[in-house]
Protein backbone atom coordinates (compact mmCIF):
# COMPACT_ATOMS: atom_id res chain seq x y z
CA UNK A 1 0.00 0.00 0.00
CA UNK A 2 2.92 2.35 0.69
CA UNK A 3 4.33 1.64 -2.79
CA UNK A 4 0.93 2.29 -4.35
CA UNK A 5 0.60 5.57 -2.46
CA UNK A 6 4.02 6.70 -3.69
CA UNK A 7 3.09 5.75 -7.25
CA UNK A 8 -0.17 7.68 -7.05
CA UNK A 9 1.63 10.78 -5.78
CA UNK A 10 4.23 10.44 -8.55
CA UNK A 11 1.55 9.96 -11.19
CA UNK A 12 -0.46 12.93 -10.02
CA UNK A 13 2.61 15.16 -10.30
CA UNK A 14 4.24 13.83 -13.48
CA UNK A 15 1.33 12.52 -15.58
CA UNK A 16 -2.08 13.65 -16.67
CA UNK A 17 -4.88 11.28 -15.71
CA UNK A 18 -6.60 10.26 -18.90
CA UNK A 19 -9.44 7.99 -17.77
CA UNK A 20 -10.85 5.64 -15.22
CA UNK A 21 -13.17 2.64 -15.32
CA UNK A 22 -15.58 0.87 -13.01
CA UNK A 23 -16.00 -2.91 -13.45
CA UNK A 24 -18.64 -5.43 -12.40
CA UNK A 25 -18.45 -9.15 -13.07
CA UNK A 26 -18.32 -12.77 -12.02
CA UNK A 27 -15.28 -14.57 -10.57
CA UNK A 28 -14.76 -18.24 -11.43
CA UNK A 29 -12.53 -20.00 -8.85
CA UNK A 30 -9.80 -22.32 -10.07
CA UNK A 31 -7.56 -25.07 -8.70
CA UNK A 32 -7.60 -25.72 -4.93
CA UNK A 33 -9.60 -22.56 -4.29
CA UNK A 34 -12.57 -24.25 -5.98
CA UNK A 35 -11.96 -27.84 -4.76
CA UNK A 36 -13.61 -29.57 -1.82
CA UNK A 37 -12.84 -33.23 -1.09
CA UNK A 38 -14.00 -33.42 2.52
CA UNK A 39 -13.38 -31.66 5.82
CA UNK A 40 -10.11 -33.57 6.33
CA UNK A 41 -8.59 -31.52 3.48
CA UNK A 42 -10.56 -28.32 4.09
CA UNK A 43 -8.21 -25.41 4.77
CA UNK A 44 -10.62 -23.83 7.28
CA UNK A 45 -10.98 -26.88 9.50
CA UNK A 46 -7.94 -29.10 8.97
CA UNK A 47 -5.02 -28.67 11.36
CA UNK A 48 -2.65 -29.88 8.63
CA UNK A 49 -0.87 -26.70 7.51
CA UNK A 50 -0.51 -28.04 3.94
CA UNK A 51 -4.23 -28.62 3.27
CA UNK A 52 -5.51 -26.00 0.85
CA UNK A 53 -9.02 -26.88 -0.38
CA UNK A 54 -11.38 -23.91 -0.01
CA UNK A 55 -14.57 -25.06 -1.75
CA UNK A 56 -15.31 -21.61 -3.21
CA UNK A 57 -18.27 -21.04 -5.52
CA UNK A 58 -18.64 -18.63 -8.41
CA UNK A 59 -18.62 -15.17 -6.89
CA UNK A 60 -18.91 -11.47 -7.58
CA UNK A 61 -16.37 -8.78 -8.35
CA UNK A 62 -16.41 -5.00 -8.38
CA UNK A 63 -13.40 -2.87 -9.14
CA UNK A 64 -12.00 0.51 -10.06
CA UNK A 65 -9.07 1.24 -12.35
CA UNK A 66 -7.28 4.44 -13.17
CA UNK A 67 -5.07 4.89 -16.23
CA UNK A 68 -2.33 7.53 -16.52
CA UNK A 69 -0.73 8.62 -19.77
CA UNK A 70 3.04 8.13 -19.94
CA UNK A 71 3.63 9.94 -23.21
CA UNK A 72 3.51 6.83 -25.44
CA UNK A 73 0.40 6.44 -27.54
CA UNK A 74 -1.83 3.68 -26.15
CA UNK A 75 0.40 2.95 -23.15
CA UNK A 76 -0.53 3.89 -19.59
CA UNK A 77 0.23 3.19 -15.97
CA UNK A 78 -2.65 1.35 -14.31
CA UNK A 79 -3.76 1.53 -10.68
CA UNK A 80 -6.49 -0.88 -9.59
CA UNK A 81 -8.51 -1.71 -6.49
CA UNK A 82 -10.89 -4.69 -6.50
CA UNK A 83 -13.31 -6.42 -4.21
CA UNK A 84 -14.15 -10.14 -4.46
CA UNK A 85 -16.84 -12.18 -2.71
CA UNK A 86 -17.11 -15.99 -2.89
CA UNK A 87 -19.38 -18.25 -0.87
CA UNK A 88 -19.27 -22.05 -0.46
CA UNK A 89 -19.80 -24.23 -3.54
CA UNK A 90 -22.46 -26.95 -3.82
CA UNK A 91 -20.16 -29.75 -2.57
CA UNK A 92 -19.26 -27.79 0.55
CA UNK A 93 -22.89 -26.85 1.21
CA UNK A 94 -23.85 -30.54 0.96
CA UNK A 95 -21.09 -31.45 3.42
CA UNK A 96 -22.42 -28.87 5.89
CA UNK A 97 -25.93 -30.34 5.63
CA UNK A 98 -24.65 -33.91 5.97
CA UNK A 99 -22.61 -32.88 9.00
CA UNK A 100 -25.70 -31.45 10.67
CA UNK A 101 -27.65 -34.66 10.07
CA UNK A 102 -24.90 -37.07 11.15
CA UNK A 103 -23.79 -35.23 14.26
CA UNK A 104 -27.35 -34.55 15.36
CA UNK A 105 -28.21 -38.25 15.27
CA UNK A 106 -25.25 -39.09 17.48
CA UNK A 107 -26.83 -37.27 20.43
CA UNK A 108 -30.11 -38.65 21.70
CA UNK A 109 -32.53 -35.78 21.97
CA UNK A 110 -29.91 -33.39 20.60
CA UNK A 111 -29.15 -31.33 17.53
CA UNK A 112 -26.24 -29.85 15.63
CA UNK A 113 -26.44 -26.89 13.24
CA UNK A 114 -24.23 -24.42 11.43
CA UNK A 115 -25.46 -20.96 12.41
CA UNK A 116 -22.85 -19.34 10.14
CA UNK A 117 -20.54 -20.69 7.47
CA UNK A 118 -17.42 -18.93 6.13
CA UNK A 119 -17.49 -16.61 3.14
CA UNK A 120 -14.38 -15.29 1.38
CA UNK A 121 -13.67 -11.61 0.76
CA UNK A 122 -10.53 -10.38 -1.00
CA UNK A 123 -9.43 -6.78 -1.58
CA UNK A 124 -6.36 -6.54 -3.86
CA UNK A 125 -4.65 -3.29 -4.85
CA UNK A 126 -2.16 -3.31 -7.72
CA UNK A 127 -0.08 -1.17 -10.04
CA UNK A 128 0.81 -2.14 -13.59
CA UNK A 129 0.66 -1.26 -17.28
CA UNK A 130 -2.19 -1.07 -19.78
CA UNK A 131 -1.84 -0.91 -23.56
CA UNK A 132 -4.78 0.08 -25.77
CA UNK A 133 -4.69 -0.47 -29.55
CA UNK A 134 -7.47 1.36 -31.34
CA UNK A 135 -8.80 -0.48 -34.36
CA UNK A 136 -10.94 2.56 -35.14
CA UNK A 137 -12.21 5.54 -33.10
CA UNK A 138 -15.10 3.46 -31.73
CA UNK A 139 -13.34 0.15 -31.05
CA UNK A 140 -10.15 -0.67 -29.19
CA UNK A 141 -8.49 -3.80 -27.83
CA UNK A 142 -6.37 -3.71 -24.68
CA UNK A 143 -3.98 -5.89 -22.71
CA UNK A 144 -2.83 -5.20 -19.18
CA UNK A 145 -0.92 -6.67 -16.27
CA UNK A 146 -0.26 -5.64 -12.70
CA UNK A 147 1.09 -6.72 -9.33
CA UNK A 148 0.58 -5.67 -5.74
CA UNK A 149 -0.94 -6.96 -2.53
CA UNK A 150 -4.15 -8.63 -1.40
CA UNK A 151 -5.97 -8.36 1.92
CA UNK A 152 -8.03 -11.49 2.62
CA UNK A 153 -10.98 -11.73 5.00
CA UNK A 154 -12.95 -14.82 6.01
CA UNK A 155 -16.24 -14.54 7.89
CA UNK A 156 -16.82 -16.58 11.06
CA UNK A 157 -17.85 -20.22 11.26
CA UNK A 158 -20.39 -20.83 14.04
CA UNK A 159 -21.89 -24.14 15.16
CA UNK A 160 -24.49 -24.88 17.83
CA UNK A 161 -24.84 -28.33 19.39
CA UNK A 162 -27.23 -29.53 22.10
CA UNK A 163 -27.81 -32.84 23.84
CA UNK A 164 -30.00 -33.90 26.74
CA UNK A 165 -29.15 -36.46 29.44
CA UNK A 166 -31.47 -37.17 32.38
CA UNK A 167 -33.51 -34.08 31.59
CA UNK A 168 -30.50 -31.73 31.63
CA UNK A 169 -29.65 -30.02 28.33
CA UNK A 170 -26.11 -29.04 27.46
CA UNK A 171 -25.63 -26.42 24.76
CA UNK A 172 -22.28 -25.82 23.07
CA UNK A 173 -21.70 -22.83 20.80
CA UNK A 174 -18.41 -22.89 18.89
CA UNK A 175 -17.24 -19.82 16.98
CA UNK A 176 -14.14 -20.01 14.80
CA UNK A 177 -12.96 -16.59 13.71
CA UNK A 178 -10.27 -16.01 11.09
CA UNK A 179 -7.53 -13.40 11.08
CA UNK A 180 -7.13 -11.10 8.07
CA UNK A 181 -4.13 -12.09 5.93
CA UNK A 182 -1.93 -10.30 3.41
CA UNK A 183 -0.29 -11.82 0.35
CA UNK A 184 1.40 -10.93 -2.94
CA UNK A 185 -1.05 -10.74 -5.85
CA UNK A 186 -0.92 -10.27 -9.62
CA UNK A 187 -3.29 -10.00 -12.55
CA UNK A 188 -3.37 -10.12 -16.35
CA UNK A 189 -6.24 -9.21 -18.63
CA UNK A 190 -7.47 -8.62 -22.15
CA UNK A 191 -10.61 -7.00 -23.52
CA UNK A 192 -12.38 -4.55 -25.78
CA UNK A 193 -13.46 -0.96 -25.39
CA UNK A 194 -16.53 0.02 -27.41
CA UNK A 195 -17.56 3.60 -28.13
CA UNK A 196 -14.85 4.77 -25.70
CA UNK A 197 -16.97 4.14 -22.60
CA UNK A 198 -18.10 0.48 -22.55
CA UNK A 199 -15.55 -2.23 -21.72
CA UNK A 200 -15.84 -6.02 -22.02
CA UNK A 201 -12.93 -7.91 -20.49
CA UNK A 202 -11.54 -11.16 -19.19
CA UNK A 203 -8.84 -11.30 -16.50
CA UNK A 204 -6.79 -13.81 -14.54
CA UNK A 205 -6.13 -13.04 -10.86
CA UNK A 206 -3.76 -14.86 -8.52
CA UNK A 207 -4.19 -13.38 -5.05
CA UNK A 208 -1.45 -15.38 -3.33
CA UNK A 209 -1.43 -18.07 -0.65
CA UNK A 210 -1.72 -17.29 3.06
CA UNK A 211 -2.14 -19.43 6.17
CA UNK A 212 -5.56 -19.65 7.84
CA UNK A 213 -5.39 -18.73 11.53
CA UNK A 214 -7.73 -17.46 14.20
CA UNK A 215 -9.36 -17.76 17.62
CA UNK A 216 -11.83 -20.52 18.41
CA UNK A 217 -14.24 -19.75 21.23
CA UNK A 218 -16.34 -22.52 22.80
CA UNK A 219 -19.21 -21.49 25.10
CA UNK A 220 -20.87 -24.29 27.08
CA UNK A 221 -24.11 -23.94 29.00
CA UNK A 222 -25.35 -26.81 31.21
CA UNK A 223 -28.98 -26.55 32.19
CA UNK A 224 -29.74 -23.16 33.72
CA UNK A 225 -26.18 -22.48 34.80
CA UNK A 226 -24.09 -19.57 33.54
CA UNK A 227 -22.15 -20.34 30.36
CA UNK A 228 -18.45 -21.16 30.57
CA UNK A 229 -16.12 -20.02 27.83
CA UNK A 230 -12.80 -21.31 26.50
CA UNK A 231 -10.73 -19.71 23.73
CA UNK A 232 -7.83 -21.25 21.82
CA UNK A 233 -5.78 -20.11 18.85
CA UNK A 234 -5.81 -22.45 15.84
CA UNK A 235 -3.44 -22.61 12.87
CA UNK A 236 -5.01 -24.47 9.98
CA UNK A 237 -4.35 -24.97 6.27
CA UNK A 238 -3.63 -22.31 3.68
CA UNK A 239 -5.93 -20.64 1.17
CA UNK A 240 -4.83 -19.56 -2.30
CA UNK A 241 -7.48 -17.60 -4.24
CA UNK A 242 -6.98 -18.06 -7.99
CA UNK A 243 -9.74 -17.08 -10.39
CA UNK A 244 -10.75 -16.02 -13.87
CA UNK A 245 -13.01 -13.00 -14.23
CA UNK A 246 -15.59 -12.17 -16.85
CA UNK A 247 -16.80 -8.59 -16.48
CA UNK A 248 -18.07 -5.42 -18.02
CA UNK A 249 -16.94 -1.90 -17.30
CA UNK A 250 -17.83 1.73 -17.86
CA UNK A 251 -15.14 4.31 -18.56
CA UNK A 252 -15.29 7.78 -17.10
Amino acid sequence: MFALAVMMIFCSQAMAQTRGAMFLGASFPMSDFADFDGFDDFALSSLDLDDDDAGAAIGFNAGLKWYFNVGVQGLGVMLSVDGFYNGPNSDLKTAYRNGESTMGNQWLGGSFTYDATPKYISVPAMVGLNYMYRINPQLGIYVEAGAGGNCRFITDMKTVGTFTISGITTKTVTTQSFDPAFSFAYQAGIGFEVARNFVIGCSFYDLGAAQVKGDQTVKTTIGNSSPSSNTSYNEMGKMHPVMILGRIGFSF
Side-chain angles (χ1 to χ4, degrees):
M1 295 302 294
F2 174 77
L4 288 174
V6 172
M7 180 63 73
M8 291 181 70
I9 293 172
F10 172 78
C11 289
S12 65
Q13 293 177 345
M15 306 174 189
Q17 182 174 345
T18 58
R19 62 191 176 98
M22 178 181 69
F23 290 90
L24 298 172
S27 62
F28 299 86
M30 299 178 62
S31 188
D32 294 320
F33 187 49
D35 290 344
F36 178 78
D37 298 319
F39 287 116
D40 290 341
D41 299 319
F42 188 41
L44 277 63
S45 62
S46 174
L47 297 182
D48 186 338
L49 301 184
D50 293 326
D51 287 339
D52 51 11
D53 286 356
I58 296 172
F60 303 97
N61 163 256
L64 291 171
K65 293 187 177 183
W66 297 269
Y67 305 96
F68 299 86
N69 187 0
V70 295
V72 178
Q73 184 174 358
L75 183 65
V77 170
M78 174 186 71
L79 299 176
S80 69
V81 177
D82 286 279
F84 294 90
Y85 172 88
N86 296 88
N89 63 23
S90 59
D91 290 339
L92 182 51
K93 288 180 179 179
T94 299
Y96 287 139
R97 289 193 295 268
N98 291 342
E100 289 180 333
S101 174
T102 301
M103 298 187 74
N105 289 337
Q106 289 177 354
W107 295 335
L108 183 64
S111 65
F112 178 85
T113 59
Y114 284 92
D115 266 15
T117 56
K119 314 299 188 299
Y120 311 130
I121 300 169
S122 297
V123 185
M126 305 189 203
V127 60
L129 294 175
N130 169 278
Y131 179 76
M132 175 75 72
Y133 175 75
R134 296 207 173 273
I135 300 173
N136 59 54
Q138 297 299 313
L139 179 63
I141 183 171
Y142 71 86
V143 293
E144 61 188 21
N150 175 56
C151 184
R152 183 203 71 199
F153 303 92
I154 305 174
T155 63
D156 292 351
M157 177 188 292
K158 183 178 180 180
T159 63
V160 179
T162 64
F163 66 93
T164 302
I165 297 178
S166 301
I168 299 176
T169 300
T170 299
K171 180 179 180 181
T172 302
V173 179
T174 303
T175 303
Q176 175 67 63
S177 61
F178 303 95
D179 296 342
F182 298 89
S183 57
F184 173 78
Y186 66 91
Q187 62 166 301
I190 187 170
F192 296 92
E193 184 183 80
V194 182
R196 292 187 177 271
N197 59 11
F198 183 67
V199 182
I200 303 172
C202 178
S203 299
F204 171 80
Y205 275 66
D206 186 327
L207 302 183
Q211 211 73 40
V212 178
K213 305 176 182 179
D215 288 329
Q216 183 184 78
T217 301
V218 180
K219 294 184 178 180
T220 304
T221 304
I222 302 175
N224 296 322
S225 65
S226 299
S228 61
S229 180
N230 179 59
T231 300
S232 60
Y233 190 75
N234 290 335
E235 295 189 16
M236 293 155 281
K238 63 178 64 174
M239 197 172 78
H240 189 172
V242 178
M243 60 197 75
I244 289 178
L245 307 183
R247 54 188 180 177
I248 59 173
F250 303 91
S251 297
F252 55 86

